Amino acid sequence: MDIYEDERTVSRADLAAWLRQVASQVESGQVFYGAAGTIAVADQVHCELEIEQEGKDEYSIEIEFSWKNPAAEAEKPKADAEKTDAEKAAATEADEEPETESSTTD
């Protein structure tokens, strides 16, 4: 699902300035986009750099960063900790195999 996309032709100097701005935002942990959008950047980020030659005289550089949402990762343990004792007991009982009693008749 795309959140935001921007495509335009710019000068080499403007591109360099934009990359510095994005780098500064990534370093700060918040990337801003559009009129008022912002996204939190995790401490650990997967990154890819791809340089391609497309035809005889056309080149492209693709830079991609991806990470897990740091807020969602922080919520996981919190959600587990907030389970009530009854919910924890029910989960434990569901995991246990039922015991069978054997009876003999004399």
Side-chain angles (χ1 to χ4, degrees):
M1 173 174 85
D2 287 348
I3 295 175
Y4 177 80
E5 187 172 319
D6 184 14
E7 185 176 320
R8 65 180 100 173
T9 301
V10 297
S11 69
R12 184 174 55 225
D14 286 345
L15 172 61
W18 178 73
L19 288 170
R20 283 190 290 275
Q21 180 183 21
V22 170
S24 177
Q25 291 176 13
V26 167
E27 188 173 37
S28 77
Q30 292 288 321
V31 172
F32 301 93
Y33 59 89
T38 183
I39 187 166
V41 180
D43 291 335
Q44 294 292 311
V45 177
H46 175 79
C47 49
E48 296 178 32
L49 173 66
E50 186 176 319
I51 302 173
E52 295 179 333
Q53 182 172 0
E54 301 168 359
K56 184 179 175 187
D57 58 357
E58 185 176 342
Y59 300 90
S60 69
I61 297 175
E62 295 178 21
I63 302 171
E64 183 176 321
F65 309 108
S66 61
W67 61 90
K68 301 262 186 203
N69 180 348
E73 291 295 311
E75 289 295 318
K76 274 185 187 177
K78 184 178 177 183
D80 289 341
E82 290 177 352
K83 286 184 179 176
T84 66
D85 289 337
E87 289 173 321
K88 290 176 185 174
T92 302
E93 288 174 11
D95 290 340
E96 294 176 357
E97 302 245 351
E99 294 181 20
T100 56
E101 293 183 21
S102 52
S103 60
T104 57
T105 328
D106 290 304

